[in-house]
């Protein structure tokens, strides 16, 4: 606690420090100041606790680690850890230091998979659930929760929000009934604080129950009243067995990015396996085409020597099968890989952890054949892995995930703007074979400042693709206010909705706040404190990917988002929005200083975003993200299985239900929606005004990015696209466009514009829905979780 350590606030350098003597070794907890230089930017991270060992008269400093749930310190003879057992302290040599967490994880996984598993192949390990490290699990009091059970949850849009909740996020409880909103919020809040408690106790930071109880009750109230909501992934998974018992923390994250740049020719499958693994957990993944410039020769495997892999009936088993197959094509003379699918559960079996119905082995077998077809063709031509093959493989994996897990997947591809091969990927006249799977990703280009946009704009007029990502802006700027800080100099891309700047293998958690549900700015700041704390807590959970743990532990990136912005501006003013953005952003930074120090982790590299929203915004009756509604009055259609328990109560309440055209076993429910007084519709807001609002939010709120799909009239505004991009390339990090399509252009569209009279007529037919009328017997199958980012704007349904 003496110089050169900083001894002024907010750095805590005063006692108490926890110290324990083990055979002469003293372990203490203190703050440490670390600096990482990014070009001209110098970032300061406060990252206590660090371990101080006094050995042989010298001070040894290092960060404590968790290995298999134990605190790992310096080792003696590579056999004993300085944990909670007494050992004789001696000065260790560097060789005696325990391997880092990532190496331990890899070695454990390879041991589990057997000696026949090649070291270069895909590997992962499951981390310890933080909740299991708690001395006693955190629980909200029954009296506190009971007070909310007597309240009516303020779901939005005439029952639409409540329907979406029961359809998508309500889990089956041990007693056999589905959660109501009070139950779900309780599970989520308790899971959040169990993660914190497990982390704090394992790090010896001191758990303050009274303080945390107060924070937890505040978080509960703000989620219950729709002042903020965790992401859909969090509503589904947080506090469930997925996190409490199995430690699958990747499932709490919305999005990821992976570069296809290959470090080891024996492990070409690595980025493809990561995308598949993450997608099967419901995480949307962005990827680039960097491997196309690496001249990776494709070889035909040696079919004179084949190896059969019995595919385990698990997510990991499917991923490993794909990895083994891809890698067999990139080392000359590799044995051919064949598969035994007999262990995979039959079609129609329940998937209890993540929900849904098993597809059987058919979709994996089809994927394997598609991969062979693509790579055999390249090998026959003695060719290299190129742009088309990379995107094809990623898209086919996405198609498999959709079919195999009864859920939607989201991908975004990033490619060079000058390559016609990339730009024509969705030109199905030139690439008709891609029509079957090309929908699996949105495609964007890495736009360069000052480039000629005219050629790409002609393509956008037809189908809205590709989108644009200005990687230079993503790397240089937080909020785009004229001063480059280079915080994200290592960034490689973004997530499918492009509201997050990301490094390769990085994941991120987003939370959603509803400014229009607040009385004043002070109320909003209190919500931001809870929202920030939820997102920061998610960064405490290690994933089963070593590369991801490394970058997430360093960046601690989160995304506090706003939604319902069109409603806020309509009911207040743009000036009020600027004030709330500016003061809110500063408050988030104060939270980051306070809670990062309290948790003993680095400050977040970036903290704020604007996500497109969708399903989550429906719960609260808010317009999605920064987008304007198509119409003030409209019918919102929701699809569900015809045998769903929700169909009967909806029918009794008077909702219109009809069979889905072309989808056997599915029904469509139509719900009348009023977006609110004074709301402007997208038809009243020009392309230029939408771009200006995105730039406004990128300047005043989002240090990550603003996800925005600009709706434009091809006839009236199409010729202006190039000019708009020339202006806004200096104000945005990413943008996409969508040609305007009339609402109701085809039967059973998700949105259909209606008149006020039609809205009143439909609303008059409705009565209160009793969604709690459920069977007393718990169903065997949980409903599958919804799309990772809660909106259809950046993914395609199966």
């Amino acid at each position: 606690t003496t110089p050169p350590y900083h001894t002024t606030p907010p750095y805590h350098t005063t006692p108490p420090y926890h110290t324990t003597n083990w055979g002469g070794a003293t372990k203490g907890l203190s703050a440490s100041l670390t600096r990482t230089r990014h070009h001209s930017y110098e970032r300061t991270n406060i990252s206590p606790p660090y371990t101080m060992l006094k050995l042989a008269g010298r001070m040894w400093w290092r960060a404590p680690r968790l290995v298999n749930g134990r605190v790992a310190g310096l080792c003696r003879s590579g056999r004993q850890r300085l944990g909670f057992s007494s050992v004789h302290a001696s000065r260790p040599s560097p060789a005696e230091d325990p391997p880092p967490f990532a190496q331990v994880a890899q070695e454990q996984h390879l041991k589990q998979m057997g000696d026949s598993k090649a070291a270069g192949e895909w590997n992962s390990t499951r981390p310890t659930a933080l909740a299991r490290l708690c001395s006693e699990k955190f629980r909200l009091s029954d009296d506190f929760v009971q007070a909310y059970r007597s309240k009516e949850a303020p779901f939005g849009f005439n029952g639409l929000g409540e329907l979406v909740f029961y359809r998508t996020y309500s889990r089956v409880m041990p007693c056999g009934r589905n959660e109501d909103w009070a139950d779900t919020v309780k599970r989520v809040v308790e899971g959040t604080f169990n993660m914190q408690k497990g982390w704090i106790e394992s790090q010896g930071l001191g758990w303050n129950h009274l303080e945390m109880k107060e924070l937890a009750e505040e978080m509960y109230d703000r989620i219950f009243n729709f002042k903020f909501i965790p992401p859909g992934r969090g509503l589904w998974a947080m506090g469930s067995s997925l996190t409490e018992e199995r430690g699958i923390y990747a499932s709490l994250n919305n999005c990821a990015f992976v570069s296809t740049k290959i470090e080891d020719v024996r492990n070409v499958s690595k980025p493809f396996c990561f995308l598949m693994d993450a997608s099967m957990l419901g995480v949307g993944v962005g990827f680039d085409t960097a491997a196309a410039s690496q001249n990776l020769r494709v070889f035909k495997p040696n079919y004179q020597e084949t190896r059969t892999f019995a595919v385990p009936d698990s997510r990991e088993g499917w991923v490993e099968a794909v990895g083994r197959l891809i890698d067999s094509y990139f080392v000359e003379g590799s044995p051919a890989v064949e598969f035994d699918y007999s262990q995979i559960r039959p079609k129609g079996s329940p998937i209890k952890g993540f929900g849904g119905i098993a597809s059987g082995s058919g979709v994996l077998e089809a994927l394997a054949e598609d991969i062979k077809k693509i790579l055999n063709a390249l090998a026959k031509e003695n060719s290299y892995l190129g742009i088309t093959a990379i995107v094809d493989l990623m898209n086919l994996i996405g198609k498999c995930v959709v079919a195999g897990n009864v859920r939607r997947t989201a991908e975004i591809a990033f490619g060079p703007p000058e390559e016609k091969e990339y730009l024509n990927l969705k030109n199905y006249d030139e690439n008709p074979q891609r029509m079957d799977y090309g929908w699996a990703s949105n495609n964007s280009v890495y736009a360069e400042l000052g480039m000629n946009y005219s050629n790409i704009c002609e393509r956008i007029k037809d189908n809205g693709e590709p989108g644009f990502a200005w990687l230079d802006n993503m790397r240089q700027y937080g909020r785009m206010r004229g001063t480059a800080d280079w915080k994200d100099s290592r960034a490689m891309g973004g997530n499918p909705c492009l509201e997050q700047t990301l490094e390769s293998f990085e994941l991120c958690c987003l939370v959603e706040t509803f400014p229009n549900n607040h009385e004043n700015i002070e109320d909003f700041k209190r919500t931001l404190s809870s929202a920030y704390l939820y997102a920061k807590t998610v960064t405490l959970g290690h994933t089963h990917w070593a590369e991801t743990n490394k970058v997430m532990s360093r960046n601690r990136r989160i995304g506090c988002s706003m939604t319902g912005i069109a409603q806020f501006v309509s009911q207040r003013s743009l000036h009020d929005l600027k004030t709330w953005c500016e003061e809110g952003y500063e408050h988030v930074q104060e939270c980051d200083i306070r809670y990062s120090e309290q948790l003993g982790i680095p400050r977040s590299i970036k903290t704020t975003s604007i996500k497109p929203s969708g399903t989550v915004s429906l719960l609260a009756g808010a317009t999605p993200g920064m987008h304007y509604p198509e119409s003030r009055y409209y019918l919102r259609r929701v699809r569900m299985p015809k045998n769903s328990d929700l169909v009967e109560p909806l029918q009794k309440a008077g909702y219109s239900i009809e069979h889905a055209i072309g989808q056997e076993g599915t029904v469509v429910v139509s719900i009348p929606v009023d977006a609110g007084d004074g709301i402007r519709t997208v038809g009243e807001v020009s392309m230029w005004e939408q771009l200006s609002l995105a730039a406004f939010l990128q300047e005043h709120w989002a240090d990550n990015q603003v996800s925005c799909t600009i709706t434009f009239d091809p006839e009236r505004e199409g010729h202006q696209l190039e000019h708009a991009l020339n202006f806004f390339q200096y104000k945005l990090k990413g943008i996409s466009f969508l040609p305007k399509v009339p609402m109701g252009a085809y039967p059973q569209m998700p949105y259909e514009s209606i008149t006020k009279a039609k809205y009143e007529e439909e609303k008059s037919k409705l009565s209160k829905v009793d969604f709690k009328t459920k069977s007393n017997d718990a169903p065997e199958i949980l409903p599958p979780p919804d799309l990772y980012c809660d909106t259809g704007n950046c993914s395609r349904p199966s």
Side-chain angles (χ1 to χ4, degrees):
T1 60
T2 56
Y5 307 116
H6 288 219
T7 56
T8 55
Y11 314 116
H12 290 193
T13 56
T14 54
Y17 298 114
H18 301 274
T19 57
T20 309
N21 286 313
W22 297 306
T26 300
K27 184 175 183 180
L29 301 176
S30 180
S32 178
L33 187 66
T34 63
R35 297 184 184 272
T36 304
R37 183 173 295 278
H38 298 287
H39 299 280
S40 62
Y41 169 73
E42 191 172 73
R43 177 162 63 95
T44 302
N45 289 335
I46 304 303
S47 50
Y50 274 64
T51 303
M52 179 179 67
L53 295 172
K54 188 172 184 179
L55 302 175
R58 294 184 60 185
M59 305 303 294
W60 297 75
W61 292 83
R62 61 172 308 160
R65 294 189 295 265
L66 280 179
V67 180
N68 290 336
R70 294 187 58 197
V71 176
L74 295 173
C75 284
R76 179 174 179 239
S77 302
R79 294 188 301 272
Q80 291 179 301
R81 291 185 176 88
L82 266 177
F84 295 101
S85 58
S86 177
V87 298
H88 177 69
S90 61
R91 179 175 177 177
S93 68
E96 293 174 339
D97 205 22
F101 179 85
Q103 182 180 337
V104 172
Q106 181 179 13
E107 291 173 353
Q108 289 175 338
H109 177 74
L110 293 178
K111 183 177 180 180
Q112 293 169 359
M113 296 307 299
D115 294 335
S116 62
K117 178 135 177 70
E121 294 179 3
W122 176 247
N123 60 80
S124 65
T125 187
R126 182 161 294 162
T128 301
L130 287 172
R132 290 187 172 188
L133 303 179
C134 296
S135 57
E136 181 181 350
K137 286 191 175 182
F138 178 86
R139 291 289 181 263
L140 292 163
S141 72
D142 292 338
D143 289 343
F144 174 81
V145 176
Q146 188 60 39
Y148 287 84
R149 295 191 191 283
S150 61
K151 300 179 181 179
E152 183 175 347
F155 288 108
F157 291 154
N158 293 326
L160 175 60
E162 191 171 13
L163 167 60
V164 169
F165 163 69
Y166 278 106
R167 182 201 66 170
T168 311
Y169 304 119
S170 172
R171 299 185 73 102
V172 178
M173 301 173 69
C175 64
R177 69 171 178 86
N178 275 63
E179 295 172 331
D180 58 24
W181 183 235
D183 296 320
T184 298
V185 179
K186 177 177 183 290
R187 167 174 54 78
V188 168
V189 173
E190 289 180 345
T192 302
F193 281 81
N194 274 325
M195 284 188 68
Q196 290 181 41
K197 188 176 184 183
W199 173 266
I200 287 172
E201 290 187 344
S202 70
Q203 302 296 300
L205 298 176
W207 173 259
N208 186 326
H209 179 75
L210 292 178
E211 178 186 356
M212 293 305 179
K213 174 179 175 291
E214 182 177 338
L215 290 174
E217 291 177 352
E218 176 84 355
M219 182 181 290
Y220 185 102
D221 181 81
R222 294 190 173 269
I223 297 176
F224 185 90
N225 289 302
F226 296 111
K227 297 194 173 186
F228 96 92
I229 304 181
R233 308 302 306 156
L235 287 177
W236 172 255
M238 179 62 88
S240 73
S241 61
L242 295 172
T243 58
E244 296 287 286
E245 301 297 331
R246 300 169 64 185
I248 307 180
Y249 295 118
S251 65
L252 297 175
N253 290 276
N254 301 64
C255 51
F257 173 82
V258 64
S259 174
T260 60
K261 182 179 179 181
I262 304 303
E263 303 293 340
D264 185 347
V265 73
R266 297 169 299 173
N267 199 8
V268 172
S269 68
K270 190 173 184 178
F272 301 94
C273 288
F274 176 83
L275 179 139
M276 184 174 188
D277 199 358
S279 296
M280 293 179 78
L281 289 170
V283 178
V285 185
F287 63 91
D288 62 21
T289 58
S293 62
Q294 292 186 273
N295 295 326
L296 296 169
R297 179 71 60 82
V298 181
F299 302 96
K300 188 173 183 178
N302 180 10
Y303 281 91
Q304 302 301 315
E305 180 184 355
T306 62
R307 292 183 180 177
T308 300
F309 176 64
V311 183
D313 185 29
S314 64
R315 183 189 79 255
E316 296 90 341
W318 285 42
V319 172
E320 186 175 350
V322 168
R324 287 174 179 266
L325 178 59
I326 291 175
D327 286 341
S328 69
Y329 281 85
F330 289 92
V331 176
E332 189 172 10
S334 293
V337 178
E338 300 294 339
F339 298 108
D340 173 4
Y341 299 101
S342 61
Q343 295 181 27
I344 296 178
R345 76 190 81 183
K347 184 177 181 179
S349 303
I351 303 174
K352 295 185 176 180
F354 269 87
I357 304 293
S359 63
S361 63
V363 293
L364 181 60
E365 294 179 50
L367 174 60
E369 291 305 312
D370 286 334
I371 291 173
K372 290 179 184 178
K373 182 179 179 180
I374 290 170
L375 297 180
N376 281 336
L378 293 174
K380 184 177 180 179
E381 297 174 359
N382 199 28
S383 188
Y384 300 92
L385 185 68
I387 288 175
T388 300
I390 291 170
V391 182
D392 280 354
L393 291 175
M394 293 296 200
N395 288 173
L396 286 164
I397 289 171
K399 177 185 173 184
C400 174
V401 171
V402 167
N405 293 85
V406 198
R407 60 172 59 87
R408 296 182 290 175
T409 185
E411 296 177 0
I412 187 171
F414 296 95
E418 70 279 1
E419 289 288 346
K420 288 186 177 180
E421 178 186 356
Y422 179 76
L423 296 177
N424 284 328
L425 286 175
K426 289 199 176 183
N427 182 339
Y428 298 134
D429 291 332
E430 292 195 16
N431 295 291
Q433 78 283 358
R434 301 198 77 255
M435 188 176 294
D436 187 45
Y437 53 84
W439 51 263
S441 69
N442 289 340
N443 295 350
S444 288
V445 296
Y446 283 129
E448 298 176 2
L449 295 173
M451 66 175 279
N452 187 332
Y453 295 100
S454 58
N455 179 44
I456 294 178
C457 288
E458 289 301 316
R459 299 171 185 271
I460 292 172
K461 293 177 188 178
D462 293 331
N463 63 8
E465 291 199 26
F468 300 90
W470 289 278
L471 190 57
D472 283 344
N473 290 346
M474 295 158 68
R475 289 172 171 170
Q476 291 185 52
Y477 297 100
R479 293 187 293 172
M480 296 196 69
R481 302 167 71 85
T483 303
D485 58 24
W486 289 100
K487 280 187 177 182
D488 257 327
S489 61
R490 306 186 199 186
M492 299 289 286
N495 67 314
C497 293
L498 210 53
E499 70 266 32
Q500 293 299 101
T501 305
L502 296 169
E503 297 181 26
S504 188
F505 292 101
E506 186 175 12
L507 273 65
C508 192
C509 176
L510 304 164
V511 289
E512 203 146 352
T513 65
F514 301 89
N516 209 42
N517 289 354
H518 295 78
E519 295 181 3
N520 52 54
I521 182 65
E522 295 306 318
D523 187 25
F524 183 55
K525 288 179 181 178
R526 290 177 61 189
T527 290
L528 287 174
S529 297
S530 293
Y532 166 88
L533 186 56
Y534 173 88
K536 191 76 169 192
T537 300
V538 171
T539 73
L540 300 177
H542 274 163
T543 71
H544 52 288
W545 306 302
E547 294 85 353
T548 297
N549 293 334
K550 291 175 184 177
V551 65
M552 289 184 66
S553 294
R554 168 167 44 84
N555 284 348
R556 303 285 173 175
R557 187 191 309 271
I558 62 172
C560 292
S561 178
M562 295 182 182
T563 199
I565 291 172
Q567 292 163 320
F568 183 93
V569 172
S570 297
Q571 296 180 23
R572 295 177 186 261
S573 69
L574 188 64
H575 183 74
D576 282 347
L577 179 61
K578 178 179 181 292
T579 299
W580 286 43
C581 285
E582 296 280 359
E583 293 190 22
Y585 182 83
E586 293 305 320
H587 183 75
V588 171
Q589 306 319 301
E590 292 170 6
C591 290
D592 195 34
I593 292 172
R594 180 169 69 254
Y595 290 123
S596 296
E597 186 172 335
Q598 182 174 319
L599 295 169
I601 56 179
R603 288 192 61 186
S604 296
I605 188 172
K606 289 179 180 176
T607 56
T608 52
S609 312
I610 297 291
K611 67 192 291 283
S613 191
T615 305
V616 165
S617 66
L618 295 178
L619 298 181
T623 52
M626 62 152 283
H627 296 102
Y628 287 85
E630 294 281 352
S631 173
R632 172 175 173 177
Y633 302 102
Y634 57 91
L635 292 177
R636 179 67 162 93
R637 294 189 175 94
V638 178
R639 295 170 186 264
M640 63 182 63
K642 69 178 182 181
N643 60 352
S644 168
D645 288 340
L646 304 177
V647 172
E648 182 178 350
L650 286 166
Q651 286 177 325
K652 289 181 178 180
Y655 287 85
S656 172
I657 299 176
E658 55 188 357
H659 292 287
I661 298 172
Q663 288 184 290
E664 186 178 352
T666 301
V667 296
V668 177
V669 182
S670 297
I671 301 166
V673 171
D674 176 4
D677 289 333
I679 190 78
R680 297 171 67 201
T681 66
V682 72
E684 301 173 278
V685 182
S686 71
M687 173 186 75
W688 291 87
E689 186 175 348
Q690 295 173 65
L691 284 164
S692 296
L693 179 58
F696 176 96
L697 293 166
Q698 188 70 77
E699 177 183 354
H700 298 294
W701 175 257
D703 54 11
N704 282 291
Q705 291 167 214
V706 175
S707 176
C708 181
T709 300
I710 302 296
T711 303
F712 71 99
D713 185 323
E715 297 296 326
R716 184 166 50 87
E717 298 175 313
H719 67 283
Q720 301 175 21
L721 287 171
E722 179 185 357
H723 306 301
L725 288 166
N726 281 327
F727 277 104
F728 284 96
Q729 63 183 329
Y730 306 108
K731 298 176 179 293
L732 297 171
K733 299 180 182 180
I735 201 72
S736 60
F737 294 87
L738 184 67
K740 201 170 288 184
V741 177
M743 295 179 73
Y746 58 85
Q748 298 181 340
M749 282 185 71
Y751 297 88
E752 180 182 344
S753 179
I754 59 176
T755 63
K756 180 179 181 181
K758 178 67 172 176
Y759 168 78
E760 296 291 352
E761 177 187 346
E762 294 296 322
K763 183 182 177 183
S764 67
K765 300 175 184 178
L766 308 181
S767 60
K768 176 67 177 175
V769 187
D770 183 10
F771 286 115
K772 298 181 182 179
T773 304
K774 308 290 288 183
S775 170
N776 289 327
D777 297 323
E780 292 183 351
I781 304 162
L782 296 171
D786 200 35
L787 175 67
Y788 84 103
C789 69
D790 318 309
T791 177
N793 287 341
C794 51
S795 71
R796 303 291 185 267
S798 61

